[in-house]
Amino acid sequence: MTTAAPVAELLFGEADATPISTDEATVKPWDQARACLESTPKGWLSTVRPDGRAHAMPLMLVWADDAPCFTSRPGSRKSRNLVGNPHCVITVAGETLDLVVEGEASRIQDEAGLRGVAAAFEAKYGWELAVRDGSVYEDNLPGSPEYGFYRVTPTRAFGYGSDGLTATRWRFE
């Protein structure tokens, strides 16, 4: 899956009366945000419960098939939330950039996608997951618990520089 490069722009304009820079030269490229997502040891996923309340949990992220991906047990609150409402937010704190990525999560079902994400988890975290019968299992644990892989398709993202003075918005069109 190849996605077009998002439109990068300043998050705030002159009229916003904010201390954030309005210098176009401070706009960060998506490649920098992607590198932050790829390298982060942990992120946070926010989903929406059926009654509308927010739900946030830490998770491990990998970059596979040109998108941020994560794993979740099928019966977990985050998985159940995503069945009812795929809208979600991933946040990560990097050394030079803090990110907020809005998007839609979809469960990966195809064999090639499952194998690609499993390989990314093993490469990044040393976490070996087995793919069989269209699902993912951790055979190293008693009972071989099942996991689901999710891909987040970004719709909008925000990056805040570590200096506290720069902000970029990326729109995925």
Side-chain angles (χ1 to χ4, degrees):
M1 176 174 148
T2 303
T3 57
V7 175
E9 60 193 6
L10 285 169
L11 181 55
F12 299 103
E14 292 288 338
D16 292 316
T18 178
I20 300 291
S21 174
T22 56
D23 180 356
E24 291 282 338
T26 66
V27 171
K28 308 287 190 245
W30 177 247
D31 287 347
Q32 185 178 352
R34 176 184 167 154
C36 183
L37 287 166
E38 285 180 288
S39 65
T40 189
K42 177 178 69 175
W44 290 83
L45 177 74
S46 297
T47 60
V48 180
R49 295 173 190 262
D51 65 4
R53 292 180 299 136
H55 177 263
M57 292 300 285
L59 49 72
M60 298 184 300
L61 288 170
V62 296
W63 190 268
D65 200 16
D66 206 27
C69 299
F70 63 92
T71 186
S72 178
R73 300 284 306 272
S76 73
R77 170 49 51 204
K78 62 182 168 272
S79 291
R80 294 190 328 256
N81 288 349
L82 292 170
V83 167
N85 182 347
H87 295 102
C88 63
V89 176
I90 293 173
T91 56
V92 301
E95 287 193 29
T96 61
L97 193 64
D98 293 331
L99 293 174
V100 176
V101 180
E102 298 177 357
E104 290 192 20
S106 57
R107 184 144 177 201
I108 300 168
Q109 304 275 324
D110 65 287
E111 191 83 8
L114 292 171
R115 292 199 183 286
V117 175
F121 269 101
E122 187 167 7
K124 183 172 181 178
Y125 297 105
W127 190 16
E128 188 176 335
L129 296 159
V131 176
R132 62 179 177 275
D133 304 322
S135 289
V136 180
Y137 300 90
E138 186 171 8
D139 289 338
N140 295 326
L141 290 179
S144 295
E146 180 182 357
Y147 291 85
F149 286 156
Y150 293 83
R151 175 184 300 113
V152 176
T153 302
T155 55
R156 196 171 22 197
F158 305 90
Y160 301 91
S162 58
D163 59 8
L165 299 174
T166 57
T168 301
R169 172 179 38 223
W170 297 275
R171 290 181 290 118
F172 297 79
E173 299 177 332

